[in-house]
């Protein structure tokens, strides 16, 4: 079995994070998404003298993250000769935008193409969503192409091809969104009035199965001399990869969201099969121990409302009982259907009853309004159509002579 074949064996018990297809190695590696120490290392390997490294890295960082430059020409603080040699060695271009859609409610969704690992075959695609609200704007970004997990209510979970995004591809999504929204500080907008105020890692993929790249990307995104989004405004959502939760707290330190969705193991095993490996008790124990947890930094528990599956008042009572003692927020998500989905969304009256109960227990306005449903941009509807085939099929096709 190749690594790719194993990646598609959803029964495999090996850690899914280790099973993804490799990202391509471009001829000119990208500097986007390198942390400052890595950027300095790349420049040192390139041959810049030691004493210039910090300054040059700062100039390049400024060009990429404050000015949104996509080539070295505009970095006029560097000599023309250096710009030319850097351009021959490195890439700072954008991910390709395949399509952009706008919902009637203002939500925007982009289909983005990543670089290809196989010459002649288009790279895999991911989706990204921007949700404007009064006084804030949230960008929902992806961490993997598809997902190795198989939550039965999630569209992404039905998608086979999986590869981890590089840190550059994770950061690259924000760069594309800033282009589309016209949000570079150099543009004529008032920079206090930001359009992307929050980032959620709730797009495609399980971020804790792509830990290093997610960690590095979030370090770049939160760097105060660049995109500068505070870790308090970045939320990582996980289906419950228990062994990685503490590490996420110490090495990333962003806000945490847990896709709980059920209050007993029997139901959660069906909805989130990863629960068979890391049951509710262990998951909540890891949450109690999440570094930095306090009433000011609560964990969000996501709970998708599925008709007659997890939406009774008994479920609500048990939810409140389970979360007792954990500084928590509850986010009830009306189920967003997708073609062929095996569930129905709970009736609105039932969602209200459930929400009322949870409200009375002290959790404020917990229902998340679905956004962008008309363009399939809502939670769990993301899936890039072109990667439905098994990777092995795609690779076989790529190997076929054409013409
Ligand atoms: N893999 C991570 C992050 C991506 S999913 C995770 O599972 O947490 C982001 C959120 O959307 C999760 O809470 C997920 O459970 C929820 N979701 C998935 N499919 C959904 C659907 N069809 N309707 C509503 N929410 C869904
Ligand atoms: Fe993967 Fe999250 Fe979807 Fe589950 S809900 S299949 S972990 S993206």
């Amino acid at each position: 079995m190749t690594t790719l074949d194993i990646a598609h064996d959803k029964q495999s018990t090996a850690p899914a994070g280790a099973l993804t297809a490799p990202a391509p190695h471009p001829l000119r590696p990208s500097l986007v998404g390198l942390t400052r120490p890595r950027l300095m290392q790349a420049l040192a390997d390139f041959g810049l003298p030691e004493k210039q490294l910090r300054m040059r890295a700062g100039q390049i960082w400024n060009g990429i993250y404050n000015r949104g430059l996509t080539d070295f020409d505009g970095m006029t603080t560097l000599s023309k000769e250096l710009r030319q040699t850097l351009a021959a060695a490195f890439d700072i271009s954008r991910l390709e935008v395949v399509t952009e859609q706008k919902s009637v409610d203002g939500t925007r969704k982009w289909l983005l193409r990543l670089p290809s690992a196989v010459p002649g075959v288009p790279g895999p695609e991911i989706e990204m969503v921007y949700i404007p609200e009064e006084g804030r704007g949230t960008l929902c970004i992806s961490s993997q192409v598809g997902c190795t997990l198989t939550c039965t209510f999630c569209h992404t979970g039905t998608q086979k091809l999986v590869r981890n995004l590089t840190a550059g591809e994770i950061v690259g999504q924000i760069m594309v969104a800033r282009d589309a929204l016209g949000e570079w500080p150099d543009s004529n907008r008032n920079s206090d009035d930001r359009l992307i105020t929050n980032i959620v890692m709730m797009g495609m993929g399980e971020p804790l199965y792509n830990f290093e790249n997610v960690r590095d990307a979030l370090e770049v995104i939160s760097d105060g001399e660049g995109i500068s989004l505070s870790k308090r405004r970045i939320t990582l959502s996980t289906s419950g990869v228990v062994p990685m939760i503490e590490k996420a707290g110490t090495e990333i330190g962003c806000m945490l969201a847990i896709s709980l969705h059920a209050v007993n193991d029997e139901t959660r095993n069906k909805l989130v099969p990863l629960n068979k490996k890391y049951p509710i008790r262990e998951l909540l124990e890891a949450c109690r121990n999440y570094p930095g947890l306090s009433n000011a930094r609560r964990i969000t528990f996501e709970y998708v409302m599925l008709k007659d599956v997890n939406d009774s008042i008994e479920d609500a009572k048990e939810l409140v009982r389970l979360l007792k003692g954990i500084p928590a927020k509850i986010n009830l998500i009306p189920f967003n259907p997708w073609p062929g989905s095996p569930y129905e969304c709970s009736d609105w009256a039932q969602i209200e009853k459930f929400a009322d109960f949870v409200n009375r227990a002290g959790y404020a306005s917990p229902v998340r309004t679905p956004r962008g449903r008309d363009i399939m941009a809502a939670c769990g509807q993301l899936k890039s159509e072109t990667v439905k085939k098994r990777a092995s099929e795609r690779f076989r096709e790529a190997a076929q002579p054409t013409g």
Side-chain angles (χ1 to χ4, degrees):
M1 259 195 199
T2 65
T3 344
L4 279 167
D5 290 325
I6 302 169
H8 300 115
D9 176 8
K10 302 246 178 184
Q11 306 309 315
S12 170
T13 50
L19 302 177
T20 55
H25 293 287
L27 287 174
R28 287 182 307 133
S30 178
L31 294 182
V32 179
L34 297 186
T35 58
R36 274 178 192 270
R38 281 180 192 241
L39 175 58
M40 282 168 60
Q41 188 57 51
L43 297 176
D45 296 345
F46 168 73
L48 284 191
E50 172 78 34
K51 57 180 188 320
Q52 284 188 18
L53 287 179
R54 188 166 298 276
M55 182 178 72
R56 297 286 176 235
Q59 290 166 322
I60 292 170
W61 190 275
N62 183 50
I64 298 176
Y65 300 113
N66 285 323
R67 301 182 55 211
L69 299 178
T70 53
D71 58 47
F72 292 92
D73 287 348
M75 296 193 190
T76 45
T77 46
L78 307 176
S79 70
K80 192 164 181 209
E81 194 196 341
L82 180 56
R83 277 182 265 155
Q84 279 169 351
T85 49
L86 283 171
F90 300 112
D91 180 36
I92 55 168
S93 65
R94 290 287 188 270
L95 297 177
E96 181 189 339
V97 178
V98 182
T99 54
E100 177 180 351
Q101 286 171 280
K102 201 166 178 179
S103 159
V104 287
D105 67 16
T107 300
R108 290 163 79 156
K109 180 170 94 167
W110 294 267
L111 182 65
L112 305 176
R113 185 160 12 245
L114 307 180
S116 172
V118 185
V121 177
E125 292 167 356
I126 51 162
E127 293 190 305
M128 169 174 81
V129 178
Y130 174 71
I131 306 153
E133 286 169 295
E134 196 60 42
R136 63 190 256 156
T138 304
L139 189 69
C140 175
I141 61 175
S142 295
S143 56
Q144 296 184 308
V145 181
C147 186
T148 52
L149 299 176
T150 51
C151 303
T152 46
F153 54 88
C154 175
H155 205 197
T156 310
T158 65
Q159 190 173 334
K160 283 175 183 153
L161 175 62
V162 174
R163 88 155 164 79
N164 282 334
L165 265 59
T166 63
E169 290 162 346
I170 297 170
V171 176
Q173 294 171 71
I174 298 162
M175 316 288 279
V176 168
R178 288 192 115 185
D179 288 344
L181 298 169
E183 204 201 19
W184 293 105
D186 266 6
S187 63
N188 289 329
R189 298 191 59 262
N190 173 358
S191 57
D192 294 339
D193 169 23
R194 293 185 72 146
L195 293 172
I196 303 170
T197 59
N198 294 68
I199 304 268
V200 291
M201 300 223 69
M202 295 187 185
M204 292 160 62
E206 169 48 60
L208 294 187
Y209 276 155
N210 185 13
F211 187 84
E212 278 80 17
N213 290 328
V214 167
R215 179 197 57 204
D216 289 356
L218 296 185
E219 190 176 323
V220 170
I221 294 164
S222 58
D223 185 289
E225 286 168 31
I227 298 172
S228 194
L229 267 169
S230 137
K231 296 233 173 110
R232 301 288 302 270
R233 290 177 171 274
I234 302 175
T235 303
L236 181 155
S237 174
T238 177
S239 56
V241 186
V242 167
M244 302 303 286
I245 288 180
E246 186 184 350
K247 199 168 147 77
T250 44
E251 294 185 29
I252 303 178
C254 63
M255 306 302 283
L256 184 67
I258 300 283
S259 294
L260 188 62
H261 307 318
V263 292
N264 60 66
D265 285 326
E266 197 192 338
T267 311
R268 195 165 191 270
N269 284 347
K270 288 186 196 133
L271 299 180
V272 185
L274 185 67
N275 192 69
K276 292 182 205 153
K277 207 163 173 186
Y278 308 119
I280 294 176
R281 198 185 49 76
E282 287 176 29
L283 175 58
L284 295 181
E285 192 52 29
C287 290
R288 280 196 181 84
N289 297 327
Y290 186 62
L293 186 63
S294 72
N295 281 337
R297 287 187 74 219
R298 292 165 188 261
I299 294 177
T300 300
F301 288 88
E302 297 160 285
Y303 197 95
V304 62
M305 298 299 295
L306 302 170
K307 186 173 181 166
D308 299 332
V309 174
N310 64 357
D311 62 350
S312 71
I313 288 301
E314 280 63 45
D315 289 314
K317 278 187 194 152
E318 185 59 8
L319 178 62
V320 168
R321 195 189 68 78
L322 281 178
L323 299 188
K324 207 159 180 248
I326 305 177
K329 289 189 247 181
I330 295 174
N331 218 325
L332 302 180
I333 315 173
F335 170 62
N336 291 308
W338 34 273
S341 55
Y343 301 102
E344 274 179 74
C345 182
S346 305
D347 295 332
W348 199 251
Q350 190 59 25
I351 297 182
E352 280 189 340
K353 264 201 239 166
F354 197 106
D356 265 0
F357 186 90
V358 170
N359 263 320
R360 270 185 271 117
Y363 299 96
S365 46
V367 185
R368 187 190 293 170
T369 325
R371 298 289 303 263
R373 270 189 178 177
D374 54 332
I375 55 166
M376 290 285 286
C379 293
Q381 293 184 312
L382 303 185
K383 174 175 175 177
S384 41
E385 291 299 327
T386 57
V387 285
K388 271 193 287 192
K389 292 179 186 171
R390 295 174 71 93
S392 49
E393 282 174 53
R394 289 160 57 85
F395 277 69
R396 217 173 297 130
E397 279 174 9
Q400 299 284 327
T402 50

